[in-house]
Amino acid sequence: MSLTQIDKKAKTIHVLSDENGRFTIKNVPNGKYNLTATFIGYEDYKCTINICGDTNLGTAIMKESTEMLEGITVMAEYTDIKPSGETIIRVKGNPLAKGKSTTDFLKYSRELDVSDKTISIHGRENTLIYLDDREITFEQLKAISPTMIASIEIIPQADASYGINATGGVVKIRLRKEDGLLGSVSLYAQADKDGIVQTTPNTNLLYQKCKFSLSNIAGGTPYSRYSTGSIQKDVNQGSQSTTITNDVNHEKAFSDNLSLRYSFNYTDRLDVYGGVSFLWKDYTQSSSTSTTDGTSALKINNDGDMQTYKAGLHLNKSLGNSTNFFTFTAEYTKNTSFANLLYRYSSTTDKAEQIYDLDLFKVTPEFTVTLNKSMSVSVGFDFEYMIDRHTDNGTETLGYITDGRFDNYGPNYITWAEYSAAFTDKLYLRAALMWHGGRTSYKDNIAPENSISKWDSGIYPSMALQWMMDKDKRRLLNIGYRRAYSYPNYNYRLPAVVWQSDKLYSIGNPDIDVQTYDNAEVYFALDRSWSASYGFFYGDDMVCVIMHQDANRQGVYYTIPENVGYKMTHTLRMTYAGRPLKFWYSRNNLATVYNKEHSPGTTINNTQITFTSDNDFSLCRNFGLELSFSASSRGKTLSYEADATYSLSAGVRLSLLGDKLSINLRYANILYNHRKIHVDNTDWSLTRKDTSSMSRAMLTIAWNFNSGRKIQKADMPTINNPVRQTPTF
C-alpha cells in the first residue's frame, strides 16, 4: 500500500496490511493524495483521496488480474510475505504450476517439504492443511487441481485459533472465485515392469447460484495392483531362519464428497456435507521359510470390503465490526464404517467383521478486541466431545482377529488468550497462553476390568516474532516457540490386532499416555532464494512403536506403541529456491538432524543428513522437464535402525489449450536402493530388506473447465476423518 501527496515534494509512504487485509497509516498531513494498493494476482487498486484528520477509507475491492507475467519468472515474483509471517503464493497464472499436480507444484516452495505421502513446513511434524476454514487430509489436497486454486497461504507459526497441536504450522488452500461452474476432470495412472499398477479418475465440481454453493469431489480406483516383497532374517537363541515373502494386493475403491452451503452474508454460513466411500480388496501373500530344520511354504489370501458413510453440519456466525468482533462455530460429524474380512490360510477359511461408529461434536466461540491501531487481544474456548464405538467379530479358527466390544470417548477443552502487535511495519509479535484439559476413556464391554479412563491437562504458552529487515529483498527473521501436547495417533490406543504377515502383527495400547513437548525454531531468509533455519524439539513420554516376540508363537513378532522416555532433536537446514539459469528453477534442501532418544537402560544418539533437490527446466512456454533427487544417511531410533537411502526421478510436463489440458509423465525411482531395517533385542534379532520394485511410470492428465456467472463465496468444506494409522513399521 502506498500513499503519495499530490503537488508536494513529499516522500511516498509505504505500509503493509495485516492478515485480515486492514491497514493503518499514522501521522499523515492533511491534503490530497494518490492511494495505490497492490497484491499478487490482482489488478492494482488506485484512487485519489482527501485527508483531513482521521479518515476511514472503507473497503477497497480488488479484481483478479487476467494477465500473466511475460517470460520466465521465479516463484518469488508470485509470492508475498505478510508482516505476521504468512507467505502467500499465487497459483493462478504461475508458470511453475503448468502441467503439475498441486503437491508437485508445492515441492518448489522453499518453505515446504513435500513427498508422496506428507507435507510439512520447514520439515516440522504436525503441519495442518486447510481448505478455507476446514481441515482436510493430504489425500484430499492431492485431489485438488492447481487450476482450481487462486492462492496458497503458508503459516509457519499458527495462531491460537488453530489449536495447540498445530506445531508444524498451517497450509491453507484458497479456491478461485470465478464462473458459476468451475471444474476439473483428471486421470492418474501408474505402471511398473509387471504392468498397470493403478488407475484413478477424479472429478471436482464447484457451482454457485445466489446464496447457494455446491461442491462435489468424486473419484475412485477401478483397478490397482501393488506387488511387494521382502527378505527377513531371524536369529533366535542360536537358531537362524530366512523368510522370503511376496505380496500382491488388488483393490478397487470409490468415494464421493458432497457439500452444500447457504451464505446468509459475507461472514455467516451454514454447511451441510456428507460422503460415502467403498473399498474392495483381494490380498494374497506367499512366503517360504528356510530354517535349520528344513523349508516350509505358506500361502495366505485375505479378501474384504469396507463401506464408510459420513455426514456433518457446520455453522459459522459473526457479530461486530472489523475491529471488535465475536465469532462462533459449531459442528457435528457422523462417521460409520463396516469392514468385512475373509482370511484363507493354507486350506483354512475364516471370516471376520469390524464396525466403527463415530460421533463428534465441536463448538468454538472467540472474541477479538482491538486495543489501538496496532494491537489486539483475542480470547476463545473450544469444546469437543467424541464417542467412537467398535464392534469386532473375530476369526473363529485362525485367531487373526479377536472379538472386541469397546468404546473410546471423552470431552476435550481448550481455552486461550492471545496478544498481537505490529510495533512498526517491520516488527510483529504474537504471544498466547493456552490451557488444555481432556478425558479419554476406553470401555471394554467384554472385559470391564480392562477399562481405562485418563485425564490430561496442562498450560501451554506460545510465541511468534517476525522482523522484516528488507521487504524488497525478502530478508527476514522469524522466531517461534510453542509448548504442546499430542494424543497418540488414533488407532494407537485401540487394542485391535492387525496382521501384516504370518510372522508379524500389530496391536494398539489403551494405556499409553499423552506426549508433551517443546518446539522452537529460528528461521532466517537472506533474500528471495536463500534461507536457513535451526529447530529444537524436546519431548517427554514420547510414543515409539516397539517390536516384541510373541511368547506363544515361535518366530512371530508384534509391534505395539509405548511411552518409552524422552526425545531431543536439533535440526539445521539450508534451502535454495531460485533460478541458476533463466530456464532452470531449482529447489534444494540440505538438513542435518541430531537425534537423542532415551528409555530405561537404552540411549540412542544419531546424526542423519538428508538432501532433496527438485528441478524444473522450462524448454518453452508450455513444455518442460523435471528432475528430482533425494538421499538420506543411516538413521537410528529406539524402534529400529535403517540403512541409507537414495532415489532419482525424472519427468516431462505439458500444458495445452490455454492451460485447460495438463499432462505430466514421470518415471519415479529411476535409480534407488532398497530399504533395510534392523531390530536388536536381548536374545533375538531381526533384519528385513524390502525387495519391492519401486520404479514406476506415472501419468497424470487433467482437463479444467469453467462456465456460468461469477462465484462470490465458493470455498467449500470437505469431509475430514480421523487418520487411523496402524502402529507398525
Side-chain angles (χ1 to χ4, degrees), residues 45 95 110 136 153 211 227 301 316 337 362 371 385 390-391 458 487 586 659:
Y45 175 85
R110 71 177 182 182
I136 63 174
E153 185 174 0
K211 294 186 177 183
S227 299
N301 180 259
N316 194 90
S337 296
K362 182 177 181 179
L371 303 179
Y385 189 87
H390 290 250
T391 301
Y487 282 108
S586 183
D659 299 334

Side-chain angles (χ1 to χ4, degrees), residues 8 16 18 78 124 127 177 207 286 307 381 387 444 467 485 489 500 601 637 672 677:
K8 297 285 185 179
L16 296 174
D18 64 15
Y78 284 82
R124 291 181 288 150
T127 295
K177 300 175 176 64
Y207 176 76
S286 301
Q307 309 164 46
F381 177 73
I387 179 167
D444 193 323
W467 177 22
Y485 73 94
N489 186 268
Q500 312 300 321
T637 70
Y672 70 97
I677 67 170

Side-chain angles (χ1 to χ4, degrees), residues 217-439:
I217 301 176
T221 304
Y223 176 83
S224 72
R225 172 200 50 82
Y226 289 94
S227 299
T228 59
S230 65
I231 298 176
Q232 181 170 306
K233 295 183 179 181
D234 304 289
V235 178
N236 194 320
Q237 298 179 348
S239 177
Q240 299 185 20
S241 65
T242 301
T243 302
I244 301 175
T245 303
N246 293 292
D247 304 337
V248 179
N249 191 9
H250 290 275
E251 288 186 357
K252 296 180 181 180
F254 171 79
S255 65
D256 185 84
N257 288 304
L258 180 68
S259 300
L260 177 64
R261 166 174 295 177
Y262 180 79
S263 300
F264 301 95
N265 51 49
Y266 184 76
T267 59
D268 302 342
R269 56 188 177 269
L270 176 66
D271 295 306
V272 180
Y273 56 89
V276 296
S277 64
F278 303 96
L279 173 67
W280 301 269
K281 66 178 182 177
D282 180 2
Y283 170 75
T284 301
Q285 180 187 97
S286 301
S287 63
S288 61
T289 304
S290 299
T291 66
T292 54
D293 300 326
T295 302
S296 62
L298 180 66
K299 186 173 183 179
I300 299 176
N301 180 259
N302 298 339
D303 299 333
D305 63 83
M306 176 175 288
Q307 309 164 46
T308 302
Y309 305 91
K310 301 157 285 189
L313 192 68
H314 182 90
L315 173 66
N316 194 90
K317 176 67 178 177
S318 296
L319 298 172
N321 51 43
S322 61
T323 56
N324 302 301
F325 53 91
F326 171 79
T327 61
F328 175 82
T329 60
E331 183 170 15
Y332 170 73
T333 301
K334 177 74 172 181
N335 189 322
T336 303
S337 296
F338 304 89
N340 299 303
L341 307 173
L342 179 64
Y343 289 89
R344 297 187 183 94
Y345 183 96
S346 297
S347 59
T348 304
T349 301
D350 215 340
K351 293 182 179 181
E353 180 184 59
Q354 294 178 316
I355 302 174
Y356 307 89
D357 188 12
L358 181 145
D359 291 272
L360 180 65
F361 176 71
K362 182 177 181 179
V363 293
T364 306
E366 182 179 7
F367 186 62
T368 299
V369 178
T370 301
L371 303 179
N372 54 43
K373 295 180 179 179
S374 61
M375 297 183 186
S376 65
V377 172
S378 66
V379 293
F381 177 73
D382 184 284
F383 170 76
E384 181 179 292
Y385 189 87
M386 182 198 74
I387 179 167
D388 191 8
R389 309 168 188 86
H390 290 250
T391 301
D392 293 344
N393 299 314
T395 51
E396 296 181 359
T397 305
L398 296 176
Y400 269 15
I401 303 294
T402 58
D403 289 341
R405 308 286 189 276
F406 51 90
D407 302 330
N408 259 19
Y409 59 94
N412 203 46
Y413 310 90
I414 299 175
T415 184
W416 71 86
E418 184 172 72
Y419 166 83
S420 62
F423 296 104
T424 66
D425 59 351
K426 294 185 176 181
L427 189 62
Y428 178 86
L429 172 68
R430 184 176 66 240
L433 194 63
M434 293 174 273
W435 174 84
H436 162 259
R439 179 173 297 280

